[in-house]
Amino acid sequence: MTVWDDLRGQPAVVAQLRQAAQGEGLTHAWLFTGPPGSGRSNAAKAFAAALNCDQEDVSRRGCGACPACRTILGETHSDVTFVRTEKVTITIDEARELVSTAGNRPSSGRWRIIVVEDADRMAERTTNVLLKAIEEPTPRTVWMLCAPSPADVLVTIRSRCRPVALRLPPAADVAALLVERDGVDPAVAERAARAAQSHVGIARRLARDPEARERRLETVRFPLTLRGVTAAVLMAEKLVKIATEEANSSNDERDAAEKVALLATLGAPESGTLPPAMRGQVKQLEDDQKRRAKRSITDSLDRTLTDLLSFYRDVLIVQMGNAVELVNVDLRNELEEFASRSAPDITLARMDAVNKARKRITTTNVAPLLAIESMAASLI
């Protein structure tokens, strides 16, 4: 098993990165782009592992089995820094710290590698802090930036990076990955991959969590019962509740695992009162988790609205003659009946209303419930 095995449906990207890892076309800065779920951060991580792989034979770089590959994939390698934010933006102080880290020579690997998974979450003045370091990097340093699209990164930055463009993999490839890597039943994997619209992380959660599948189905079925303003208000309240429950479900599991890992690292007792020094570190972790929770709820709301959007997408497909496969194939009868009661232009207007709500929630300080209530009224 190599570091490339999880990059399903990305043959061109794997070929490009393999070649660079072998020394052909390697440059000091890379920009990984692709829609959410395409695996851009996983591609960057695999590339980092291949660059610092212990194999002397360049054709075998990225073996996935050597200590360097394992520690990089586990994000514990001393020469590879992973940057992701649970806040709205990456701060200038964090960017300056990255520049300082990038100036250090690698301690054990071939390269000092900085992977910025949320490059689109940097304001212009923050990005400018990185500009000189990327434009004139120190020897043996490689920058890897990840963003949804090239337009999400300043032109001065992207012009100095080699592009790596990922796409959403076919649902069949995502399903095969769930079966092989996670041992998911093939039928469940296929439905989860289709429902997640090939988003690998979401598909994995849907495949492993029956409650998550039920919450998604409830979201997708909302338009079938949407009648009048009262129903729209109730729908908005329920959508916010579903998104919050989904985020909390994911956060609770991760928060508990992080706390267990921290206590183990500190050598804390399994029971009883913690020493003052340990209490301070645990408190810091809990504060970080609370800040992360706010963003995760926003992300969950966006995902919930994406699920809702898939309903109207399928309605439009039916109205246009079923040219491509449906996402919610199990609801075909309901979709066909719903589609018969309106025209494609109305469906497009409803899709615009959902996308407008998504944009307001993710880019402004509007109260989510107000944004979704406004959207729901437009869907009647």
Side-chain angles (χ1 to χ4, degrees):
M1 179 153 179
T2 72
V3 299
W4 313 110
D5 290 349
D6 283 355
L7 300 182
R8 298 300 177 91
Q10 311 285 354
V13 168
V14 170
Q16 177 186 10
L17 298 180
R18 274 184 183 273
Q19 187 178 46
Q22 294 171 14
E24 300 179 36
L26 180 61
T27 188
H28 66 280
W30 298 75
L31 177 58
F32 293 78
T33 60
S38 59
R40 53 183 184 261
S41 59
N42 287 337
K45 184 184 294 187
F47 187 33
L51 287 178
N52 275 344
C53 178
D54 291 333
Q55 296 291 341
E56 292 298 329
D57 182 353
V58 295
S59 67
R60 298 183 60 196
R61 297 269 168 86
C63 67
C66 68
C69 282
R70 291 199 304 271
T71 53
I72 292 172
L73 294 179
E75 301 187 10
T76 58
H77 195 284
S78 60
D79 293 327
V80 183
T81 301
F82 292 92
V83 182
R84 59 180 67 91
T85 183
E86 303 295 348
K87 298 174 288 186
V88 176
T89 60
I90 295 174
T91 66
I92 285 183
D93 288 341
E94 289 170 326
R96 287 174 178 152
E97 186 175 344
L98 288 181
V99 172
S100 176
T101 300
N104 298 329
R105 292 184 60 83
S107 59
S108 60
R110 298 181 190 85
W111 302 94
R112 167 75 57 184
I113 300 172
I114 311 293
V115 181
V116 184
E117 296 188 6
D118 300 298
D120 56 310
R121 290 184 179 265
M122 289 189 290
E124 181 175 350
R125 62 196 185 111
T126 304
T127 306
N128 285 333
V129 172
L130 302 182
L131 181 57
K132 187 172 180 60
I134 292 177
E135 187 175 25
E136 300 176 8
T138 52
R140 317 307 297 176
T141 296
V142 176
W143 289 85
M144 301 182 188
L145 310 181
C146 304
S149 75
D152 292 312
V153 179
L154 283 182
V155 65
T156 50
I157 293 289
R158 68 173 183 263
S159 65
R160 290 162 174 79
C161 298
R162 177 157 297 177
V164 180
L166 290 91
R167 63 188 180 93
L168 283 174
D173 287 344
V174 175
L177 178 63
L178 295 176
V179 172
E180 296 170 16
R181 186 184 64 183
D182 301 304
V184 176
D185 176 80
V188 173
E190 191 276 333
R191 288 195 296 272
R194 187 185 298 277
Q197 299 179 66
S198 293
H199 188 302
V200 177
I202 298 298
R204 186 167 186 259
R205 181 160 179 77
L206 289 174
R208 300 174 62 189
D209 187 349
E211 292 183 359
R213 294 198 295 272
E214 286 299 319
R215 285 193 292 267
R216 182 192 178 277
L217 181 60
E218 186 176 5
T219 297
V220 173
R221 292 181 61 88
F222 267 125
L224 297 174
T225 58
L226 189 57
R227 302 285 189 277
V229 175
T230 300
V233 172
L234 293 175
M235 169 182 160
E237 292 177 352
K238 188 63 175 178
L239 284 175
V240 172
K241 182 180 178 181
I242 288 173
T244 303
E245 289 176 350
E246 181 70 16
N248 289 340
S249 174
S250 178
N251 285 338
D252 289 347
E253 181 179 345
R254 182 167 54 171
D255 290 353
E258 288 177 346
K259 187 170 183 178
V260 169
L262 175 61
L263 292 175
T265 300
L266 296 174
E270 295 183 3
S271 59
T273 303
L274 294 174
M278 292 185 180
R279 287 202 300 271
Q281 294 189 54
V282 172
K283 178 65 164 55
Q284 180 63 50
L285 173 64
E286 291 173 346
D287 290 343
D288 290 342
Q289 290 173 340
K290 288 178 182 177
R291 284 191 291 269
R292 181 174 66 195
K294 181 177 180 180
R295 175 182 161 183
S296 66
I297 291 176
T298 298
D299 290 344
S300 182
L301 277 168
D302 183 62
R303 185 64 211 179
T304 297
L305 294 182
T306 301
D307 290 333
L308 180 64
L309 192 63
S310 74
F311 175 89
Y312 292 108
R313 177 262 190 199
D314 283 351
V315 169
L316 186 63
I317 294 301
V318 172
Q319 291 172 332
M320 300 302 292
N322 294 290
V324 296
E325 292 183 350
L326 301 180
V327 171
N328 303 290
V329 65
D330 293 340
L331 298 179
R332 175 175 286 277
N333 291 337
E334 292 95 327
L335 288 164
E336 290 178 346
E337 196 277 331
F338 189 94
S340 69
R341 302 201 307 264
S342 65
D345 60 325
I346 295 176
T347 302
L348 285 170
R350 287 167 171 164
M351 295 175 73
D352 286 343
V354 177
N355 279 322
K356 181 179 179 180
R358 291 178 62 200
K359 185 175 181 179
R360 293 179 68 190
I361 288 171
T362 56
T363 62
T364 72
N365 290 324
V366 65
L369 182 57
L370 291 179
I372 295 180
E373 284 179 346
S374 176
M375 175 206 73
S378 300
L379 300 179
I380 299 173

